Amino acid sequence: MDEDLSCRPGETSGTSEALFSFGVIADIQYADQKDGYDYLETQQRYYRHSLCHLQSAIEDWNREEVPPQFVLQLGDIIDGFNAQHKTSKKALRRVMKKFKKLKAPVHHIWGNHELYNFSRNYLRESVLNSKHLQDQTLPCNFARDQSPTEEASAEFYYAYHFCPKAKFRFILLDTYDLSILGRDPSTKKYQDSLSLLRKKNRNENLNSPIGLAEYQFVQFNGGFSQDQLDWVDEVLSYSDKHQERVVIAGHIPIHPRSSNGVCLAWNYKDALAVIHSHPSVVCFLAGHLHDGGYYLDSHGVHHITLEGIIETPPESNAFGTVSVYDDRMVLKGGGRVPDLVMHYRKDHNAIVSCNDTTDSAVQ
């Protein structure tokens, strides 16, 4: 931990009635093929059964007395194997057919597997572009928001924010804004990303972290452009001024203690510097690392890396529902996802209550 913050199992002091709730799910990675293993051949992956897990999660959300107001799909909705077998569109249709049964809207984040299957231009015109759900109130057009003309260019980033309730804002980030995945090689961002990646990673296999000083510089990760970080800074400044609570979500974790040292955004330090300069941020949600993770940093920001559906055995599951209160958020996990009570910081102090540990870093 960054500082001495107490862990109080089971404590849920404060208001008893939730203001609203939302669902979270990550790394479904559906493919119509038999079970296999990850690239290290150590973790089993359940490609077909991931669709069953998604269906079970949707049924659970729909059964709730008060269904979640929305669901965050944290990226990697179908697996990269679909691109190899030319089944990407078919696989996506099957997953989206399940999501259509959900009684709440879904906010989609793009991960590396979206970019293995589709170009960014294709994704922008697809059902995985949920930007139409963005906040339509006064602050939606900050100076650095992308106009339709700019968005049509090859350099756009996919990020937006929305307010499900007064005083609460959610920001969805593009953690592959800097990346060689899904971008046209002729674009400046592709060239800049390739140059940075080759500078940091001299391996023949750019997905290998072996021998790297900074393990996160592998091809299956990505990062943030300065334009996107400046945009986030403006949105958070507005939230600070109006005393909002902000939850940020992206596919890749941005804190090394909520990940494994490899699955991190390339320039995670730059992202943390922006977030830590704003007292409005209470949580960062990510996927990507299928084992999951959690860390409460010294600025009182809760970093949750959600366990992945794809590596969840048939007898379990991996999703959650987050209930939002005036003083805390409560994650009720399903299957492999642990329960968690996350109190908001007060003058840069925060308290975490976790269900099965006395350490704020959970791997």
Side-chain angles (χ1 to χ4, degrees):
M1 294 180 60
D2 290 352
E3 62 180 42
D4 184 17
L5 301 174
S6 59
C7 177
R8 302 179 182 179
E11 180 176 320
T12 57
S13 62
T15 55
S16 59
E17 187 173 341
L19 302 172
F20 65 95
S21 66
F22 63 95
V24 285
I25 194 166
D27 298 275
I28 300 167
Q29 289 185 222
Y30 167 71
D32 184 13
Q33 67 171 49
K34 64 181 182 180
D35 296 346
Y37 288 87
D38 66 348
Y39 65 98
L40 294 176
E41 298 291 325
T42 58
Q43 298 283 348
Q44 190 165 4
R45 294 186 169 179
Y46 306 90
Y47 295 102
R48 289 195 180 104
H49 204 86
S50 65
L51 209 57
C52 299
H53 284 322
L54 172 60
Q55 178 173 313
S56 178
I58 289 171
E59 290 172 352
D60 189 90
W61 286 321
N62 285 342
R63 277 195 304 266
E64 293 186 16
E65 185 176 350
V66 180
Q69 191 165 330
F70 59 91
V71 167
L72 296 179
Q73 188 276 113
L74 297 172
D76 284 4
I77 197 169
I78 62 174
D79 195 84
F81 273 123
N82 289 292
Q84 298 178 27
H85 299 295
K86 302 186 185 304
T87 56
S88 300
K89 294 179 182 180
K90 183 178 180 181
L92 181 58
R93 282 196 299 269
R94 285 184 174 177
V95 176
M96 295 310 296
K97 187 177 180 180
K98 298 293 184 184
F99 270 119
K100 285 180 181 178
K101 298 177 181 179
L102 183 65
K103 296 178 181 178
V106 183
H107 293 266
H108 295 287
I109 286 173
W110 299 350
N112 48 313
H113 283 262
E114 277 81 4
L115 298 169
Y116 296 152
N117 283 283
F118 306 108
S119 70
R120 294 179 68 90
N121 287 334
Y122 182 92
L123 287 170
R124 185 182 58 215
E125 304 300 324
S126 78
V127 292
L128 293 181
N129 183 351
S130 51
K131 198 171 181 181
H132 62 280
L133 297 173
Q134 71 181 339
D135 187 8
Q136 298 299 326
T137 59
L138 182 64
C140 74
N141 289 316
F142 288 100
R144 296 182 185 274
D145 263 345
Q146 301 171 94
S147 70
T149 301
E150 292 170 327
E151 201 167 67
S153 77
E155 305 286 356
F156 76 96
Y157 57 83
Y158 172 65
Y160 65 92
H161 59 96
F162 64 99
C163 277
K165 190 174 181 64
K167 299 298 183 181
F168 288 90
R169 188 171 300 278
F170 285 68
I171 302 175
L172 273 61
L173 296 185
D174 186 345
T175 56
Y176 289 89
D177 183 11
L178 297 182
S179 173
I180 64 173
L181 303 178
R183 285 204 182 276
D184 189 312
S186 66
T187 61
K188 184 177 186 299
K189 279 188 178 176
Y190 178 96
Q191 295 295 332
D192 290 346
S193 299
L194 181 60
S195 176
L196 175 62
L197 185 56
R198 291 199 181 280
K199 178 181 178 181
K200 299 287 188 176
N201 188 335
R202 301 300 178 90
N203 294 324
E204 183 177 350
N205 177 6
L206 291 176
N207 276 323
S208 172
I210 295 175
L212 303 188
E214 298 172 276
Y215 292 124
Q216 76 270 23
F217 282 99
V218 288
Q219 185 173 307
F220 59 78
N221 291 333
F224 308 96
S225 68
Q226 190 59 51
D227 280 347
Q228 185 178 181
L229 292 175
D230 289 344
W231 172 80
V232 174
D233 188 54
E234 290 188 52
V235 177
L236 292 179
S237 293
Y238 176 92
S239 292
D240 293 345
K241 180 179 178 181
H242 292 85
Q243 297 182 311
E244 295 178 334
R245 308 281 190 188
V246 179
V247 174
I248 302 179
H251 183 65
I252 310 177
I254 63 166
H255 200 294
R257 295 293 295 274
S258 67
S259 187
N260 62 357
V262 176
C263 292
L264 278 169
W266 286 350
N267 54 340
Y268 71 89
K269 293 179 181 178
D270 295 333
L272 283 174
V274 172
I275 288 171
H276 287 163
S277 68
H278 296 280
S280 52
V281 182
V282 298
C283 180
F284 189 97
L285 288 163
H288 200 43
L289 178 66
H290 301 159
D291 288 338
Y294 171 76
Y295 188 66
L296 172 62
D297 71 28
S298 62
H299 289 74
V301 178
H302 301 269
H303 295 266
I304 300 176
T305 304
L306 205 71
E307 286 75 5
I309 288 283
I310 185 61
E311 291 180 7
T312 300
E315 65 272 15
S316 186
N317 209 330
F319 68 99
T321 301
V322 181
S323 297
V324 179
Y325 298 82
D326 280 324
D327 64 336
R328 69 196 185 280
M329 296 192 301
V330 179
L331 169 62
K332 177 64 177 176
R336 294 200 299 140
V337 176
D339 295 346
L340 194 66
V341 179
M342 298 163 285
H343 290 267
Y344 308 141
R345 59 187 175 184
K346 296 178 181 178
D347 299 325
H348 291 278
N349 291 317
I351 300 172
V352 62
S353 172
C354 34
N355 68 333
D356 59 356
T357 182
T358 56
D359 188 348
S360 287
V362 180
Q363 293 290 334

